[in-house]
PDB file of all heavy atoms in Angstrom:
ATOM      1  N   LYS A 371     104.664 130.497  77.239  1.00 72.00           N
ATOM      2  CA  LYS A 371     103.487 129.628  77.078  1.00 72.00           C
ATOM      3  C   LYS A 371     103.103 129.528  75.598  1.00 72.00           C
ATOM      4  O   LYS A 371     101.982 129.808  75.203  1.00 72.00           O
ATOM      5  CB  LYS A 371     102.299 130.194  77.865  1.00 72.00           C
ATOM      6  CG  LYS A 371     102.598 130.508  79.318  1.00 72.00           C
ATOM      7  CD  LYS A 371     102.741 129.261  80.157  1.00 72.00           C
ATOM      8  CE  LYS A 371     102.957 129.593  81.621  1.00 72.00           C
ATOM      9  NZ  LYS A 371     103.150 128.425  82.464  1.00 72.00           N
ATOM     10  N   THR A 372     104.047 129.154  74.739  1.00 71.00           N
ATOM     11  CA  THR A 372     103.769 129.062  73.302  1.00 71.00           C
ATOM     12  C   THR A 372     103.480 127.618  72.896  1.00 71.00           C
ATOM     13  O   THR A 372     103.861 126.662  73.572  1.00 71.00           O
ATOM     14  CB  THR A 372     104.964 129.577  72.481  1.00 71.00           C
ATOM     15  OG1 THR A 372     106.084 128.730  72.740  1.00 71.00           O
ATOM     16  CG2 THR A 372     105.308 131.003  72.859  1.00 71.00           C
ATOM     17  N   LYS A 373     102.821 127.486  71.736  1.00 73.00           N
ATOM     18  CA  LYS A 373     102.457 126.163  71.230  1.00 73.00           C
ATOM     19  C   LYS A 373     103.705 125.367  70.872  1.00 73.00           C
ATOM     20  O   LYS A 373     103.782 124.153  71.144  1.00 73.00           O
ATOM     21  CB  LYS A 373     101.568 126.331  69.994  1.00 73.00           C
ATOM     22  CG  LYS A 373     101.022 125.015  69.477  1.00 73.00           C
ATOM     23  CD  LYS A 373     100.150 125.225  68.245  1.00 73.00           C
ATOM     24  CE  LYS A 373      99.661 123.892  67.698  1.00 73.00           C
ATOM     25  NZ  LYS A 373      98.872 124.074  66.459  1.00 73.00           N
ATOM     26  N   SER A 374     104.717 126.007  70.298  1.00 79.00           N
ATOM     27  CA  SER A 374     105.934 125.304  69.876  1.00 79.00           C
ATOM     28  C   SER A 374     106.691 124.735  71.081  1.00 79.00           C
ATOM     29  O   SER A 374     107.220 123.621  71.035  1.00 79.00           O
ATOM     30  CB  SER A 374     106.849 126.243  69.077  1.00 79.00           C
ATOM     31  OG  SER A 374     107.228 127.349  69.884  1.00 79.00           O
ATOM     32  N   ILE A 375     106.725 125.506  72.176  1.00 77.00           N
ATOM     33  CA  ILE A 375     107.407 125.027  73.393  1.00 77.00           C
ATOM     34  C   ILE A 375     106.655 123.825  73.968  1.00 77.00           C
ATOM     35  O   ILE A 375     107.262 122.846  74.421  1.00 77.00           O
ATOM     36  CB  ILE A 375     107.514 126.157  74.444  1.00 77.00           C
ATOM     37  CG1 ILE A 375     108.563 127.192  74.029  1.00 77.00           C
ATOM     38  CG2 ILE A 375     107.853 125.605  75.825  1.00 77.00           C
ATOM     39  CD1 ILE A 375     109.998 126.664  74.059  1.00 77.00           C
ATOM     40  N   ALA A 376     105.326 123.899  73.968  1.00 78.00           N
ATOM     41  CA  ALA A 376     104.511 122.779  74.486  1.00 78.00           C
ATOM     42  C   ALA A 376     104.771 121.510  73.669  1.00 78.00           C
ATOM     43  O   ALA A 376     104.876 120.409  74.233  1.00 78.00           O
ATOM     44  CB  ALA A 376     103.031 123.155  74.427  1.00 78.00           C
ATOM     45  N   GLU A 377     104.871 121.689  72.344  1.00 83.00           N
ATOM     46  CA  GLU A 377     105.143 120.531  71.471  1.00 83.00           C
ATOM     47  C   GLU A 377     106.542 119.973  71.727  1.00 83.00           C
ATOM     48  O   GLU A 377     106.750 118.759  71.714  1.00 83.00           O
ATOM     49  CB  GLU A 377     105.002 120.945  70.006  1.00 83.00           C
ATOM     50  CG  GLU A 377     103.557 121.153  69.587  1.00 83.00           C
ATOM     51  CD  GLU A 377     103.437 121.715  68.179  1.00 83.00           C
ATOM     52  OE1 GLU A 377     104.491 122.049  67.564  1.00 83.00           O
ATOM     53  OE2 GLU A 377     102.311 121.827  67.684  1.00 83.00           O
ATOM     54  N   GLU A 378     107.506 120.873  71.958  1.00 85.00           N
ATOM     55  CA  GLU A 378     108.873 120.432  72.226  1.00 85.00           C
ATOM     56  C   GLU A 378     108.961 119.683  73.560  1.00 85.00           C
ATOM     57  O   GLU A 378     109.684 118.686  73.685  1.00 85.00           O
ATOM     58  CB  GLU A 378     109.808 121.664  72.263  1.00 85.00           C
ATOM     59  CG  GLU A 378     111.274 121.291  72.060  1.00 85.00           C
ATOM     60  CD  GLU A 378     112.173 122.508  71.931  1.00 85.00           C
ATOM     61  OE1 GLU A 378     111.678 123.607  71.580  1.00 85.00           O
ATOM     62  OE2 GLU A 378     113.379 122.346  72.209  1.00 85.00           O
ATOM     63  N   LEU A 379     108.187 120.160  74.556  1.00 83.00           N
ATOM     64  CA  LEU A 379     108.137 119.474  75.850  1.00 83.00           C
ATOM     65  C   LEU A 379     107.546 118.066  75.683  1.00 83.00           C
ATOM     66  O   LEU A 379     108.073 117.088  76.241  1.00 83.00           O
ATOM     67  CB  LEU A 379     107.287 120.285  76.841  1.00 83.00           C
ATOM     68  CG  LEU A 379     107.145 119.687  78.247  1.00 83.00           C
ATOM     69  CD1 LEU A 379     108.482 119.657  78.965  1.00 83.00           C
ATOM     70  CD2 LEU A 379     106.121 120.476  79.071  1.00 83.00           C
ATOM     71  N   GLU A 380     106.474 117.973  74.916  1.00 85.00           N
ATOM     72  CA  GLU A 380     105.835 116.673  74.668  1.00 85.00           C
ATOM     73  C   GLU A 380     106.814 115.715  73.990  1.00 85.00           C
ATOM     74  O   GLU A 380     106.910 114.535  74.354  1.00 85.00           O
ATOM     75  CB  GLU A 380     104.588 116.879  73.790  1.00 85.00           C
ATOM     76  CG  GLU A 380     103.836 115.611  73.422  1.00 85.00           C
ATOM     77  CD  GLU A 380     103.207 114.916  74.614  1.00 85.00           C
ATOM     78  OE1 GLU A 380     102.973 115.575  75.652  1.00 85.00           O
ATOM     79  OE2 GLU A 380     102.962 113.701  74.517  1.00 85.00           O
ATOM     80  N   LEU A 381     107.573 116.244  73.014  1.00 88.00           N
ATOM     81  CA  LEU A 381     108.556 115.423  72.292  1.00 88.00           C
ATOM     82  C   LEU A 381     109.657 114.937  73.240  1.00 88.00           C
ATOM     83  O   LEU A 381     110.072 113.769  73.186  1.00 88.00           O
ATOM     84  CB  LEU A 381     109.169 116.248  71.148  1.00 88.00           C
ATOM     85  CG  LEU A 381     110.175 115.517  70.244  1.00 88.00           C
ATOM     86  CD1 LEU A 381     109.512 114.344  69.536  1.00 88.00           C
ATOM     87  CD2 LEU A 381     110.788 116.481  69.233  1.00 88.00           C
ATOM     88  N   SER A 382     110.108 115.824  74.142  1.00 86.00           N
ATOM     89  CA  SER A 382     111.152 115.450  75.114  1.00 86.00           C
ATOM     90  C   SER A 382     110.663 114.348  76.053  1.00 86.00           C
ATOM     91  O   SER A 382     111.406 113.405  76.377  1.00 86.00           O
ATOM     92  CB  SER A 382     111.578 116.668  75.935  1.00 86.00           C
ATOM     93  OG  SER A 382     112.173 117.631  75.104  1.00 86.00           O
ATOM     94  N   ILE A 383     109.408 114.454  76.486  1.00 86.00           N
ATOM     95  CA  ILE A 383     108.816 113.431  77.366  1.00 86.00           C
ATOM     96  C   ILE A 383     108.754 112.085  76.648  1.00 86.00           C
ATOM     97  O   ILE A 383     109.108 111.038  77.206  1.00 86.00           O
ATOM     98  CB  ILE A 383     107.404 113.869  77.844  1.00 86.00           C
ATOM     99  CG1 ILE A 383     107.516 115.059  78.801  1.00 86.00           C
ATOM    100  CG2 ILE A 383     106.669 112.700  78.516  1.00 86.00           C
ATOM    101  CD1 ILE A 383     106.182 115.712  79.140  1.00 86.00           C
ATOM    102  N   LEU A 384     108.317 112.128  75.386  1.00 87.00           N
ATOM    103  CA  LEU A 384     108.210 110.891  74.600  1.00 87.00           C
ATOM    104  C   LEU A 384     109.572 110.240  74.362  1.00 87.00           C
ATOM    105  O   LEU A 384     109.716 109.013  74.431  1.00 87.00           O
ATOM    106  CB  LEU A 384     107.524 111.170  73.254  1.00 87.00           C
ATOM    107  CG  LEU A 384     106.039 111.547  73.324  1.00 87.00           C
ATOM    108  CD1 LEU A 384     105.517 111.953  71.945  1.00 87.00           C
ATOM    109  CD2 LEU A 384     105.209 110.384  73.869  1.00 87.00           C
ATOM    110  N   LYS A 385     110.585 111.083  74.110  1.00 89.00           N
ATOM    111  CA  LYS A 385     111.930 110.558  73.825  1.00 89.00           C
ATOM    112  C   LYS A 385     112.541 109.858  75.042  1.00 89.00           C
ATOM    113  O   LYS A 385     113.072 108.750  74.934  1.00 89.00           O
ATOM    114  CB  LYS A 385     112.854 111.699  73.352  1.00 89.00           C
ATOM    115  CG  LYS A 385     112.637 112.070  71.890  1.00 89.00           C
ATOM    116  CD  LYS A 385     113.453 113.287  71.493  1.00 89.00           C
ATOM    117  CE  LYS A 385     114.924 112.959  71.329  1.00 89.00           C
ATOM    118  NZ  LYS A 385     115.695 114.112  70.839  1.00 89.00           N
ATOM    119  N   ILE A 386     112.434 110.492  76.213  1.00 89.00           N
ATOM    120  CA  ILE A 386     113.028 109.861  77.408  1.00 89.00           C
ATOM    121  C   ILE A 386     112.225 108.623  77.812  1.00 89.00           C
ATOM    122  O   ILE A 386     112.789 107.626  78.269  1.00 89.00           O
ATOM    123  CB  ILE A 386     113.152 110.872  78.575  1.00 89.00           C
ATOM    124  CG1 ILE A 386     114.073 110.284  79.660  1.00 89.00           C
ATOM    125  CG2 ILE A 386     111.801 111.244  79.165  1.00 89.00           C
ATOM    126  CD1 ILE A 386     114.516 111.285  80.690  1.00 89.00           C
ATOM    127  N   SER A 387     110.908 108.651  77.591  1.00 88.00           N
ATOM    128  CA  SER A 387     110.074 107.474  77.887  1.00 88.00           C
ATOM    129  C   SER A 387     110.478 106.303  76.998  1.00 88.00           C
ATOM    130  O   SER A 387     110.577 105.158  77.459  1.00 88.00           O
ATOM    131  CB  SER A 387     108.590 107.785  77.680  1.00 88.00           C
ATOM    132  OG  SER A 387     108.154 108.759  78.602  1.00 88.00           O
ATOM    133  N   HIS A 388     110.745 106.604  75.731  1.00 90.00           N
ATOM    134  CA  HIS A 388     111.158 105.555  74.781  1.00 90.00           C
ATOM    135  C   HIS A 388     112.510 104.959  75.204  1.00 90.00           C
ATOM    136  O   HIS A 388     112.697 103.733  75.169  1.00 90.00           O
ATOM    137  CB  HIS A 388     111.247 106.149  73.373  1.00 90.00           C
ATOM    138  CG  HIS A 388     111.780 105.181  72.354  1.00 90.00           C
ATOM    139  ND1 HIS A 388     111.039 104.117  71.882  1.00 90.00           N
ATOM    140  CD2 HIS A 388     113.000 105.099  71.749  1.00 90.00           C
ATOM    141  CE1 HIS A 388     111.769 103.427  71.021  1.00 90.00           C
ATOM    142  NE2 HIS A 388     112.954 104.001  70.914  1.00 90.00           N
ATOM    143  N   SER A 389     113.436 105.822  75.581  1.00 90.00           N
ATOM    144  CA  SER A 389     114.770 105.341  76.004  1.00 90.00           C
ATOM    145  C   SER A 389     114.660 104.432  77.225  1.00 90.00           C
ATOM    146  O   SER A 389     115.333 103.395  77.311  1.00 90.00           O
ATOM    147  CB  SER A 389     115.684 106.518  76.335  1.00 90.00           C
ATOM    148  OG  SER A 389     116.008 107.233  75.168  1.00 90.00           O
ATOM    149  N   LEU A 390     113.816 104.825  78.167  1.00 91.00           N
ATOM    150  CA  LEU A 390     113.646 104.007  79.371  1.00 91.00           C
ATOM    151  C   LEU A 390     112.961 102.675  79.060  1.00 91.00           C
ATOM    152  O   LEU A 390     113.264 101.654  79.676  1.00 91.00           O
ATOM    153  CB  LEU A 390     112.857 104.783  80.435  1.00 91.00           C
ATOM    154  CG  LEU A 390     113.605 105.972  81.052  1.00 91.00           C
ATOM    155  CD1 LEU A 390     112.688 106.798  81.945  1.00 91.00           C
ATOM    156  CD2 LEU A 390     114.828 105.503  81.839  1.00 91.00           C
ATOM    157  N   ASN A 391     112.039 102.690  78.101  1.00 90.00           N
ATOM    158  CA  ASN A 391     111.410 101.425  77.672  1.00 90.00           C
ATOM    159  C   ASN A 391     112.440 100.487  77.038  1.00 90.00           C
ATOM    160  O   ASN A 391     112.412  99.272  77.264  1.00 90.00           O
ATOM    161  CB  ASN A 391     110.277 101.695  76.681  1.00 90.00           C
ATOM    162  CG  ASN A 391     109.049 102.277  77.358  1.00 90.00           C
ATOM    163  OD1 ASN A 391     108.885 102.133  78.574  1.00 90.00           O
ATOM    164  ND2 ASN A 391     108.190 102.934  76.601  1.00 90.00           N
TER     165      ASN A 391
END
Side-chain angles (χ1 to χ4, degrees):
K371 308 287 183 182
T372 63
K373 186 180 177 183
S374 60
I375 287 292
E377 287 174 354
E378 200 173 338
L379 180 65
E380 179 66 22
L381 183 62
S382 296
I383 291 170
L384 292 174
K385 281 174 75 175
I386 194 167
S387 295
H388 175 73
S389 291
L390 291 172
N391 286 339

